[in-house]
Amino acid sequence: MQTCRRIALPRFVDARGELIALEHGSGLPFPIKRVFYMRKVPAEASRAQHALKTCEQFIIAVQGSFQTTVTDGRQSRTFLLDDPNSGVYVPAMVWRTVDAFTPDAICLVLASTEFSEDDYVRDYSAYIALSGGRQ
């Protein structure tokens, strides 16, 4: 769980506003292969609720706020994401849940691999068995 962490993003501020650039080698722990975002998620809805076998992700609240909870079956951490100047790194084989969305929230996810349904572990009991965690 120590590898799940908040990472500040490089930002450039001047009289014209703020620019945040995401590039491989500029603080992200992996090359970006896929980008997707979620918006208009109802406040009571939960997203993710899975682990990924090989894919690493970096999760950013580009607008509004939400929380991301990560667990390895032994320890859990919850991150409030409410500032686009940082995000949360989630390595492979860590269970993640994203919830508590504000009405204006936009959740941006950068992924280290292209989409593959075979990479997903969607059942928590199966995740515990694969990861050696405990319930």
Side-chain angles (χ1 to χ4, degrees):
M1 290 302 298
Q2 298 298 333
T3 56
C4 292
R5 65 189 184 279
R6 187 177 299 272
I7 297 173
L9 299 172
R11 63 188 189 125
F12 306 92
V13 181
D14 64 24
R16 300 170 294 165
E18 184 173 286
L19 176 105
I20 300 168
L22 299 166
E23 298 175 337
H24 175 63
S26 66
L28 293 181
F30 57 83
I32 301 165
K33 298 282 185 171
R34 180 173 176 239
V35 175
F36 63 93
Y37 59 92
M38 295 173 271
R39 60 190 280 270
K40 297 185 179 182
V41 179
E44 67 279 1
S46 289
R47 299 295 311 243
Q49 298 177 311
H50 62 259
L52 295 162
K53 296 173 190 170
T54 62
C55 183
E56 301 167 75
Q57 292 184 331
F58 188 68
I59 303 171
I60 307 164
V62 294
Q63 182 172 300
S65 68
F66 52 85
Q67 64 184 20
T68 300
T69 301
V70 293
T71 185
D72 61 3
R74 294 179 295 278
Q75 299 176 5
S76 295
R77 287 181 72 185
T78 298
F79 297 90
L80 174 63
L81 293 168
D82 61 355
D83 182 352
N85 293 322
S86 68
V88 171
Y89 169 64
V90 183
M93 284 309 291
V94 171
W95 189 268
R96 79 277 330 257
T97 301
V98 183
D99 59 13
F101 288 85
T102 59
D104 63 338
I106 299 175
C107 173
L108 178 67
V109 181
L110 311 176
S112 66
T113 64
E114 295 175 356
F115 175 81
S116 170
E117 184 61 36
D118 293 338
D119 198 37
Y120 282 73
V121 181
R122 297 187 186 273
D123 178 81
Y124 189 72
S125 296
Y127 165 72
I128 292 299
L130 278 171
S131 68
R134 60 185 160 100
Q135 290 184 307

